[in-house]
Amino acid sequence: MNHSVTRRLFAPQALLPDGWARDVLLEWDERGRLTGVDVGAQPGPGIRRATGPLLPGMPNLHSHAFQRAFAGLTEYRGDTEDSFWSWRRLMYRAASTLTPEQLEAIATALYVEMLEAGYTSVCEFHYVHHDTDGRPYTDDATLALALLRAAERAGIGITLLPVLYQSSGFGGQPSHEGQRRFIRSTDSMLKLLERLKPVCATQGARLGLAPHSLRAVPPDSLRESLAGLDAIDATAPIHIHVAEQTGEVEACLAWSGKRPVQWLLDHAAVDARWCLIHATHMDDDEARCAAATGAVAGLCPTTEANLGDGIFDASRWRAGQGRWGIGSDSHICVNAAEELMALEYSQRLLTRRRNVLATAAQRFVATAMTLEAVAGGAQASARPIAGFAVGQQADWVMLDASHHLLAGLPSADAMLSAHVFASHRHSAISEVVVAGTTRVNDGAHALGASARGGLVAARRG
Ligand code: ZN
C-alpha cells in the first residue's frame, strides 16, 4: 500500500513538543495537516514504519537567498581591517548585477540544500527589489515572484518578508549608490504587499514585512509601514535586524541617546508577531524587556561568527523566558544541526560550562535546543509548523538509524546528540517531508544535481 495514499506513518520514536514519545501514529489530510498524533499506538498492517527517530521539521527564520552565491568569496584579508562593513561592500557588489533568472536559480539550489539539511520552511528577508539601474521592474514583484517560484519548485514552505529600506544610517541619512536596488517608499512597499497577498495565499506562503533595521528605516516610515501592514493583515509577521554590531549600537546612541533594542521597544508595539534578528548587543534591561514582549530572537550563529558580530547571551535571554529560533542568514553554512551546535558552543566558550542550553525537562542539550528552535521558528514564520500536534503541518526529518555514528546508540536522545554534535554535515538525515510530501529520500532531493548546476551557471553570469 502506498503511504502517500494512506497518509499515515508509524514512528517508534518521535520528538513531540514536550519530548520523545514511543509508538506514535501520525495521520494527515490531503492538505498536509496533521489530523492525528497518537502515542502508544499499534503499528497496523499497511502502515509505513519510520526507520529512524523522527524530528519536527526545522524552520529557518532568516535567509537572504542571493548571498549563497558568494559564499567563499569574502574569506580573505582586504586592504583595511576586515569587518562586517567590508563584507557588506562585497555583498553590495554581488547584489548589483543579479538578474531575476539568476536569483531564481540560486534560490532553488539553496532551498534544495536547506531541505537536505533539515530545514522544512524558510523566512526570506527579501531586499533586492529593483532592476540593476535602481528602477522598478515593469512588474514590481518580479524578484519576489522568483523567490516564491523557487520555494514552490524545491517544495519548501516560505514566509516572504519584503524589506523596507530607505536610508543609509540613523536619522534618515541618504542612501548610497550601492543600495539603489533596495530603496522604496512606504507607499510602494504597501502596494507590493497588496500585489503579493493573493499570490502567497494561493501557494500557502505567508506574507509579512521586514523593516530592514533602524539604520535603514526612519521613525515615520517605521510607524506608517506598520500601520499599513496592520490594515492588510493584522497578524502578519514583522522581522527586523537589530543590534547586530557594536558600531550600530554606538551610532544609535549618538543619534537618539538610546540603544537600538531600547529605542525599538520605546517606539513600536513589539509583541509576539515580531522577530528580532540577531539582537546580539543588548544590556540586561533590554534583554529582560525584549524577552517579556514575546518576540522571537532570530539567531544566526554561523553567520554571526563568520561576520565577527559578537556572542548572543542565550542564558540571560532564556532566564527571561525569551523565545528564539535559528536562521542561516548569509548562508555561509546551510545546516540546521550545525547552527544548533554553533550556538551551544558559543555559550560554552562564553560561560566555560557544558550543555548550557539544556533544561531540567530536557537534559540532552540537542533535544532541548531542537524543541525551542522549532517553537520559536514556527512563531516567527507565522505558519502552522510547530511540530507534531494536530492542526500543524506534517513536516518532519527522519534520522538514519543505520548511520555509523547513530547505529547502536541507546536512545533517540543519544542519536539526536550524535546528529547535532558528531555527524558530518547532514549525513545522518535519511528523509525530509513537507506537508506530507517527501522532498528528500535517502538523504537526497530529486532536484539536487540540476539545482546545483543552476547555481553554478547563475554565478558564472
Ligand atoms: Zn540578515
Side-chain angles (χ1 to χ4, degrees):
M1 199 177 288
N2 185 335
H3 72 275
S4 65
V5 175
T6 65
R7 296 194 289 257
R8 284 186 292 180
L9 178 76
F10 178 80
Q13 293 162 314
L15 184 57
L16 271 47
D18 57 357
W20 286 103
R22 286 190 175 277
D23 299 337
V24 179
L25 180 64
L26 300 178
E27 294 186 77
W28 57 96
D29 63 17
E30 68 287 351
R31 298 178 308 150
R33 293 279 180 100
L34 289 166
T35 53
V37 180
D38 297 321
V39 177
Q42 294 294 319
I47 297 175
R48 193 169 76 102
R49 187 185 177 98
T51 55
L54 214 62
L55 309 176
M58 181 64 74
N60 184 337
L61 58 60
H62 193 59
S63 164
H64 310 287
F66 78 93
Q67 294 183 11
R68 183 58 165 164
F70 71 97
L73 292 176
T74 62
E75 308 303 317
Y76 67 95
R77 180 166 294 187
D79 299 338
T80 54
E81 197 184 348
D82 284 304
S83 67
F84 170 85
W85 310 103
S86 56
W87 171 87
R88 197 178 69 157
R89 275 196 300 278
L90 290 161
M91 181 270 286
Y92 283 178
R93 202 179 302 161
S96 68
T97 58
L98 192 71
T99 67
E101 295 73 25
Q102 288 169 336
L103 177 63
E104 185 169 342
I106 293 164
T108 302
L110 172 70
Y111 297 158
V112 164
E113 284 187 279
M114 283 187 191
L115 286 160
E116 290 181 337
Y119 292 117
T120 47
S121 187
V122 61
C123 296
E124 187 60 43
F125 198 103
H126 162 55
Y127 61 86
V128 183
H129 298 301
H130 305 313
D131 208 339
T132 49
D133 60 3
R135 282 186 221 153
Y137 287 99
T138 310
D139 180 350
D140 189 31
T142 295
L143 292 175
L145 295 174
L147 291 164
L148 288 170
R149 278 195 303 274
E152 186 148 55
R153 193 146 162 253
I156 197 167
I158 186 167
T159 297
L160 182 65
L161 302 159
V163 173
L164 189 63
Y165 202 116
Q166 296 183 337
S167 57
S168 68
F170 290 98
Q173 294 169 39
S175 58
H176 300 148
E177 182 60 11
Q179 298 162 338
R180 67 186 179 278
R181 302 190 73 179
F182 317 158
I183 304 298
R184 58 165 73 242
S185 70
T186 304
D187 273 356
S188 97
M189 171 54 71
L190 297 175
K191 286 197 183 86
L192 177 66
L193 295 179
E194 294 281 13
R195 161 90 174 85
L196 289 169
K197 189 178 176 186
V199 187
C200 286
T202 304
Q203 185 170 328
R206 191 71 202 257
L207 182 66
L209 175 67
H212 178 275
S213 58
L214 298 178
R215 286 183 276 122
V217 182
D220 287 352
S221 298
L222 181 65
R223 197 178 55 249
E224 288 160 16
S225 62
L226 293 173
L229 177 69
D230 279 357
I232 294 167
D233 178 355
T235 64
I238 304 158
H239 290 214
I240 187 168
H241 290 128
V242 69
E244 177 178 9
Q245 290 282 325
T246 50
E248 178 190 340
V249 176
E250 286 155 18
C252 191
L253 278 165
W255 165 63
S256 69
K258 295 212 162 132
R259 302 167 60 84
V261 171
Q262 187 59 58
W263 191 96
L264 183 65
L265 295 175
D266 287 352
H267 291 85
V270 175
D271 61 13
R273 288 168 68 193
W274 287 69
C275 183
L276 309 179
I277 303 298
H278 307 301
T280 313
H281 300 288
M282 294 187 283
D283 65 20
D284 289 345
D285 272 358
E286 286 178 298
R288 193 184 66 249
C289 295
T293 64
V296 174
L299 308 180
C300 308
T302 63
T303 293
E304 290 156 11
N306 183 266
L307 295 178
D309 287 348
I311 298 176
F312 179 86
D313 187 339
S315 300
R316 182 180 64 183
W317 184 249
R318 287 159 89 249
Q321 317 300 317
R323 302 168 195 182
W324 61 276
I326 53 166
S328 59
D329 191 0
S330 70
H331 312 302
I332 190 65
C333 164
V334 180
N335 188 287
E338 245 177 281
E339 296 298 341
L340 297 179
M341 181 180 78
L343 177 61
E344 167 67 17
Y345 280 176
S346 72
Q347 305 304 306
R348 292 187 190 188
L349 292 166
L350 187 66
T351 63
R352 288 174 280 165
R353 293 171 183 270
R354 298 185 73 250
N355 300 315
V356 180
L357 297 178
T359 63
Q362 299 297 341
R363 294 186 303 131
F364 282 81
V365 67
T367 304
M369 294 176 83
T370 299
L371 289 173
E372 290 184 30
V374 168
Q379 180 182 319
S381 305
R383 301 184 60 243
I385 50 172
F388 301 117
V390 170
Q392 300 296 304
Q393 202 166 275
D395 292 359
W396 69 74
V397 172
M398 194 187 296
L399 294 181
D400 175 7
S402 67
H403 188 281
H404 70 286
L405 288 168
L406 274 60
L409 292 182
S411 66
D413 274 315
M415 288 192 188
L416 177 54
S417 301
H419 168 57
V420 168
F421 290 101
S423 81
H424 184 255
R425 299 280 170 170
H426 44 79
S427 66
I429 290 176
S430 64
E431 175 183 288
V432 179
V433 168
V434 181
T437 301
T438 304
R439 298 297 181 181
V440 171
N441 206 358
D442 279 340
H445 191 291
L447 287 182
S450 69
R452 285 188 257 280
L455 180 140
V456 173
R459 190 163 52 204
R460 288 203 180 109

